[in-house]
């Protein structure tokens, strides 16, 4: 099952901000839609279209997996009217590391999981993978939260960008959205 | 980049044997072709069509990665006129394990990497992933070897099927081929 995020003139999410954090940006778009399906859709005339898949977890260990499962919230909560789509590409150096070396940077040295746990269940999140789909990014990271938790989300994103893991991020765009009612 | 294996009436590989090892099989086909491209091709009228992608390594650690890189042979050697395509699907129990738990079964308890190393460079191999593409298998494993190494390949496949890792294999088909000249 593929999930496609399309920036353009239509869609259930209104784009409130679109910032280039690192590397090449994305064109602006007033709206964004999300679609799921069994096929990668052909490129549309939209401003941009990014396709990825949810997959099995890659880094968490058993106690972390259980804590995440106990704490995390699902997508689609009615009060979570704020969202962020943060597409990310990591460098060749990241991908040349072995799994255990990446885990060491990701958690032992960057506390990606343990720091993020503090923001659950307020921030609902889903990671989508696209490196293997010949897409311009490696990951599409998606977050949903209530307006009251917007500052907490800034904390989390701000923290992650200071970590050793983030030195391997060579392209990052930050798209903020609100549910269009 | 996707790689598609198509069983049908045409193709550079002649199918010499097609056996169901576990679970549902695949229809017979006299020939098989291999194609690479940036898109998942639409389903053809062939007997079967399986698409997957090569990806970053998931289980090896640094010393293993270096030994593999030093020893392994590329695909396409002129004398490697024998091949095997072994599509595999693993069970839900496999995918519910965390990465480190899977690594433990894969290598510490099944010696998948260390045992396989003995067969390099005679057996050239490539792993393709397709679980995330909504395909009927999780992996397509591909092997090329010279006729003189056919017995060594039987040893390797026979060993792997006795391992703890293989208890998680719920569908497996074994397609043997020779280069059609």
């Amino acid at each position: 099952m593929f999930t496609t995020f399309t920036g353009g003139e239509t869609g259930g999410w209104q784009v409130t901000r679109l910032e280039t954090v690192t590397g090449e940006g994305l064109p602006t778009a007033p709206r964004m839609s999300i679609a799921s399906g069994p096929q990668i859709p052909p490129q549309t005339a939209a401003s941009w279209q990014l396709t990825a898949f949810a997959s099995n977890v890659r880094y968490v260990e058993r106690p972390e997996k259980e804590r995440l499962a106990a704490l995390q919230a699902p997508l689609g909560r009615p009060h979570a009217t704020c969202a962020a789509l943060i597409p990310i590409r990591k460098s060749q150096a990241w991908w040349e590391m072995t799994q255990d070396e990446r885990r060491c940077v990701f958690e032992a040295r960057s506390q990606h999981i343990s720091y993020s746990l503090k923001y659950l269940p307020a921030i609902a999140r889903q990671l989508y993978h696209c490196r293997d789909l010949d897409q311009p990014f490696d990951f599409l990271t998606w977050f949903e939260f209530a307006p009251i938790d917007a500052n907490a989300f800034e904390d989390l994103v701000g923290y992650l960008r200071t970590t050793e893991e983030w030195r391997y991020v060579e392209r990052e765009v930050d798209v903020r959205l609100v549910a269009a009612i």
Side-chain angles (χ1 to χ4, degrees), chain A:
Chain A
M1 183 68 77
F2 299 104
T3 299
T4 298
F5 296 84
T6 303
E9 298 297 320
T10 59
W13 292 94
Q14 181 189 332
V15 177
T16 57
R17 211 168 85 207
L18 191 156
E19 285 184 349
T20 304
V21 182
T22 306
E24 194 187 344
L26 284 175
T28 54
R31 294 285 185 124
M32 192 192 79
S33 63
I34 307 176
S36 295
Q39 286 290 322
I40 299 176
Q43 193 72 34
T44 70
S47 296
W48 41 267
Q49 178 178 297
L50 302 170
T51 294
F53 52 76
S55 186
N56 57 295
V57 292
R58 306 278 166 95
Y59 294 108
V60 296
E61 297 181 349
R62 178 60 53 189
E64 296 159 347
K65 185 173 182 177
E66 287 174 359
R67 280 203 72 196
L68 282 168
L71 287 172
Q72 71 197 353
L75 300 182
R77 294 170 297 173
H79 70 280
T81 57
C82 296
L85 174 69
I86 307 185
I88 282 170
R89 190 176 66 224
K90 284 180 169 170
S91 65
Q92 197 60 31
W94 175 263
W95 292 108
E96 281 171 4
M97 285 195 281
T98 58
Q99 178 74 28
D100 56 314
E101 289 167 342
R102 289 195 300 269
R103 157 86 197 182
C104 182
V105 174
F106 184 88
E107 185 58 19
R109 302 220 286 269
S110 301
Q111 286 84 51
H112 189 130
I113 300 161
S114 52
Y115 195 92
S116 300
L117 275 166
K118 296 195 289 180
Y119 297 90
L120 302 184
I123 314 290
R125 47 174 283 291
Q126 178 66 56
L127 174 65
Y128 299 94
H129 299 257
C130 44
R131 175 173 168 82
D132 294 314
L133 299 181
D134 300 306
Q135 292 276 308
F137 295 93
D138 291 343
F139 305 103
L140 309 180
T141 65
W142 174 251
F143 306 90
E144 294 177 1
F145 47 92
I148 201 172
D149 293 313
N151 286 341
F153 183 68
E154 296 303 334
D155 280 354
L156 173 58
V157 172
Y159 167 75
L160 288 171
R161 289 181 181 145
T162 68
T163 60
E164 180 174 336
E165 181 195 351
W166 241 251
R167 294 185 211 160
Y168 295 90
V169 173
E170 62 175 25
R171 186 176 180 191
E172 179 177 6
V173 179
D174 189 335
V175 186
R176 298 304 177 88
L177 312 103
V178 294
I181 309 168

